[in-house]
Amino acid sequence: YMSLVYSDFVALDYSGKPEPEIAESWESNDGGTTWTFKIRENVKGHDGGSVDAQDIVSTINFIKTKGGIYAENIKYIKAYDATDPLTVSITCSEPYSLLPLMMSFPVLKAENVNTVGTMPVGSGMYAYNYIKSSPNKIYLSRFNEYYGNKPYIDEIEIAAYATEGEK
């Protein structure tokens, strides 16, 4: 369900080619060592705040410190900085033409980065419904301020069932 709650920094199309999502555009200044990513304007988070470059920096920090499935994506990143609210500069340890492809990770809101597993706050098409959710059921509600195409379904219920060994 996380792909419904969080938007990716860079999306991948069906063929695996990078395409804009939160990153509206990107370019390499020197053959693949230094990259500049422009953030899409007016992307709202489920907390009501805007998604900005600091959220991207915090997400990369989170991946670098916590590891996980996206650690491999950022292994060539040497330095990164929010140069203004809608721009992120990334320097790689060597020329790396695949960096836009590797930026396909979910963006965490900077102020909620430490509650990602318990209180997910993203910018995806659905928001986690804290009021209705329980340990056995997760409810996601359509996020009406989503920047992309709006989903047709108002609410999703995800039920967790015990396995045979847990009964």
Side-chain angles (χ1 to χ4, degrees), residues 48-147:
S50 294
V51 174
D52 61 21
Q54 192 55 52
D55 295 319
I56 308 307
V57 168
S58 293
T59 300
I60 294 172
N61 282 337
F62 180 84
I63 296 168
K64 280 191 168 287
T65 57
K66 302 288 186 185
I69 62 172
Y70 298 103
E72 197 66 21
N73 293 39
I74 63 169
K75 70 181 181 180
Y76 292 109
I77 294 177
K78 180 173 74 174
Y80 47 98
D81 186 39
T83 57
D84 68 45
L86 295 175
T87 308
V88 176
S89 176
I90 297 176
T91 304
C92 297
S93 56
E94 59 188 60
Y96 193 49
S97 63
L98 296 178
L99 187 69
L101 175 76
M102 303 312 278
M103 296 291 94
S104 61
F105 51 75
V107 174
L108 311 174
K109 292 288 289 158
E111 54 274 8
N112 303 100
V113 73
N114 293 320
T115 61
V116 66
T118 57
M119 298 181 68
V121 177
S123 59
M125 61 180 72
Y126 286 93
Y128 186 85
N129 186 324
Y130 299 100
I131 295 169
K132 291 181 79 173
S133 292
S134 69
N136 296 329
K137 286 191 180 176
I138 294 170
Y139 290 88
L140 304 176
S141 300
R142 180 177 54 208
F143 182 49
N144 291 323
E145 293 190 57
Y146 179 63
Y147 59 91

Side-chain angles (χ1 to χ4, degrees), residues 2-7 21 46 122-128 140-154 156:
M2 300 309 272
S3 64
L4 298 172
V5 174
Y6 295 100
S7 299
E21 188 155 348
H46 302 150
S123 59
M125 61 180 72
Y126 286 93
Y128 186 85
L140 304 176
S141 300
R142 180 177 54 208
F143 182 49
N144 291 323
E145 293 190 57
Y146 179 63
Y147 59 91
N149 293 329
K150 310 291 187 268
Y152 295 110
I153 300 171
D154 290 333
I156 297 172

